[in-house]
């Protein structure tokens, strides 16, 4: 079958490992289902896979793609839940120490067909297109969990999103605005800040600029480059919710500010199948249209990878078949 895959790990030149070609048809174990892929979205995780991060060399070749939407054999339209884990252990598969994402152990969604556990094929609401639904499983689910499960924010409170253009960041802006939060965003360029305003941000600021007042929660995906600003921007008792560290994982902790102002630092990773189902329902009923920065046929996937690597788009990159 047709697939976009990583032939081998390449830490220094990840796109040299990207291959568009044929892979064997997948087998379908008991309790799993085959999904014919209609659309699949690109994540930073796919670039890490090309670099060999979080995956053993013997697991290559690996079909890329954590997210997607497609159809079951009976024609049911579904959205893929990327987290493969045992929800019975803690009531939350993200806490299963043996959990994996698609492309870490199991082949991914950039292909004609992907095979997943039956519970990981979630019915798609009629109000979402396949392209829109294909972005939900990683970036949007991560944003949903950060905002509605982890942050403790209430409608009317103020949230700061560090970085205006990434998939998680644009999802946070759209979800927060729809839920009645006052959404502030930082961005490195006027164009990126303009995108955030278009998506519902109430105010935008250059990266690192002092804010007019302190906020109730900060949403962090950047790490080293923004951490100091995030800490200074919080009101006493406020929270930083962290799901990534694209600029580096080891910022100064600023412990004196942390304990004196009784700040909270909360880690968040992906989300559960039930949270994905709730997210899909909320997005469909609220009429939210996910920001799609670039849509390409799957056989032109290299262009999407280059755009992500060079930071050329705002919103999600989606491949279609």
């Amino acid at each position: 079958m047709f697939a976009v895959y990583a032939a081998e790990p390449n830490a220094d030149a990840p796109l040299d490992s990207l291959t568009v070609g044929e892979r064997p048809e997948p087998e379908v174990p008991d309790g799993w289902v085959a999904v014919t892929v209609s659309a699949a979205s690109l994540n930073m995780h796919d670039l890490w896979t090309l670099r060999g991060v979080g995956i053993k060399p013997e697991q290559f070749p690996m079909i890329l793609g954590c997210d997607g939407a497609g159809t079951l054999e009976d024609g049911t339209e579904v959205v893929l839940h990327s987290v493969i884990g045992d929800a019975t252990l803690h009531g939350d598969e993200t806490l299963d120490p043996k959990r994996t994402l698609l492309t870490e152990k199991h082949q991914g969604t950039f292909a004609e067909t992907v095979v997943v556990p039956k519970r990981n094929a979630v019915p798609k609401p009629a109000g979402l297109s396949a392209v829109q639904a294909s972005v939900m499983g990683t970036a949007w689910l991560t944003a949903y969990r950060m905002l509605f499960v982890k942050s403790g924010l209430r409608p009317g409170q103020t949230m700061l999103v560090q970085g205006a253009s990434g998939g998680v960041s644009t999802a946070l802006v759209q979800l927060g605005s729809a839920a009645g939060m006052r959404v502030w965003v930082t961005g490195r360029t006027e164009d990126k800040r303009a995108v955030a305003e278009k998506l519902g941000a109430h105010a935008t600021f250059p990266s690192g600029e002092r804010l007019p007042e302190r906020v109730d929660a900060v949403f962090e995906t950047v790490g080293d480059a923004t951490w100091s600003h995030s800490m200074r921007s919080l009101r006493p008792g406020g929270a930083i919710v962290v799901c990534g560290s694209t600029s580096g994982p080891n910022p100064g902790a600023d412990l004196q500010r942390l304990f004196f102002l009784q700040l909270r630092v909360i880690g968040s990773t992906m989300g559960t199948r039930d949270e994905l189902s709730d997210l899909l329902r909320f997005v469909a009923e609220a009429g939210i249209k996910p920001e799609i920065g670039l849509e390409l046929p799957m056989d032109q996937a290299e262009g999407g990878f280059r755009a992500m690597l060079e930071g050329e788009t705002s919103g999600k990159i989606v491949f279609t078949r």
Side-chain angles (χ1 to χ4, degrees):
M1 67 175 180
F2 173 85
V4 179
Y5 61 96
E8 60 187 3
N10 192 324
D12 298 323
L15 295 191
D16 288 352
S17 180
L18 183 66
T19 306
V20 176
E22 295 291 318
R23 296 295 299 150
E25 290 282 346
E27 297 181 1
V28 185
D30 290 342
W32 293 52
V33 292
V35 178
T36 300
V37 177
S38 303
S41 61
L42 181 62
N43 290 286
M44 190 62 70
H45 189 276
D46 297 304
L47 280 172
W48 291 119
T49 301
L50 285 166
R51 291 187 171 107
V53 177
I55 179 173
K56 297 177 181 178
E58 60 267 25
Q59 291 175 272
F60 289 83
M62 175 60 72
I63 298 173
L64 298 166
C66 303
D67 291 345
T71 56
L72 300 177
E73 187 177 0
D74 64 3
T76 301
E77 294 184 305
V78 296
V79 182
L80 297 171
H81 179 40
S82 306
V83 182
I84 299 176
D86 188 347
T88 65
L89 290 178
H90 302 278
D92 181 339
E93 58 267 33
T94 69
L95 300 177
D96 177 1
K98 296 183 179 179
R99 76 183 187 277
T100 64
L101 295 184
L102 289 175
T103 73
E104 291 179 347
K105 180 178 178 182
H106 305 286
Q107 302 292 323
T109 59
F110 295 172
E112 293 179 40
T113 304
V114 62
V115 174
V116 297
K118 186 175 181 180
R119 76 181 301 271
N120 287 63
V122 181
K124 180 181 76 66
L128 289 177
S129 70
V131 168
Q132 293 168 339
S134 75
V135 310
M136 292 286 136
T138 296
W140 276 72
L141 179 58
T142 297
Y144 182 91
R145 184 178 178 92
M146 293 173 78
L147 181 56
F148 297 118
V149 180
K150 295 291 188 176
S151 76
L153 281 183
R154 302 185 303 274
Q157 292 188 304
T158 303
M159 56 185 279
L160 173 66
V161 180
Q162 291 282 23
S165 61
V168 173
S169 295
T170 54
L172 282 164
V173 171
Q174 292 185 264
L175 290 170
S177 177
M181 315 296 179
R182 184 166 64 154
V183 182
W184 290 359
V185 179
T186 64
R188 289 176 296 171
T189 68
E190 289 187 10
D191 288 346
K192 292 182 183 296
R193 296 193 293 272
V195 169
E197 291 173 1
K198 182 190 75 171
L199 296 177
H202 298 91
T204 61
F205 307 91
S207 298
E209 182 175 282
R210 183 173 181 175
L211 304 181
E213 61 186 72
R214 291 180 177 178
V215 302
D216 298 289
V218 181
F219 295 85
E220 261 284 357
T221 63
V222 181
D224 280 1
T226 56
W227 189 260
S228 176
H229 183 256
S230 294
M231 292 289 284
R232 296 195 310 271
S233 298
L234 273 179
R235 66 162 177 79
I240 299 178
V241 188
V242 187
C243 77
S245 55
T246 56
S247 69
N250 296 305
D254 199 356
L255 290 178
Q256 288 182 315
R257 185 183 298 272
L258 183 74
F259 69 73
F260 188 73
L261 297 182
Q262 301 183 70
L263 306 180
R264 293 172 292 135
V265 177
I266 303 165
S268 189
T269 295
M270 295 294 289
T272 68
R273 186 217 187 265
D274 289 344
E275 289 163 5
L276 176 58
S277 182
D278 291 342
L279 164 65
L280 293 170
R281 189 179 305 113
F282 177 56
V283 169
E285 293 184 0
I288 299 171
K289 303 299 181 186
E291 177 70 2
I292 308 298
L294 181 64
E295 183 178 330
L296 291 170
M298 200 171 285
D299 60 6
Q300 297 179 24
E302 184 179 350
F305 275 85
R306 289 195 181 280
M308 172 171 277
L309 191 62
E310 296 167 7
E312 292 180 353
T313 63
S314 297
K316 293 295 292 179
I317 297 170
V318 177
F319 303 135
T320 57
R321 291 194 57 254

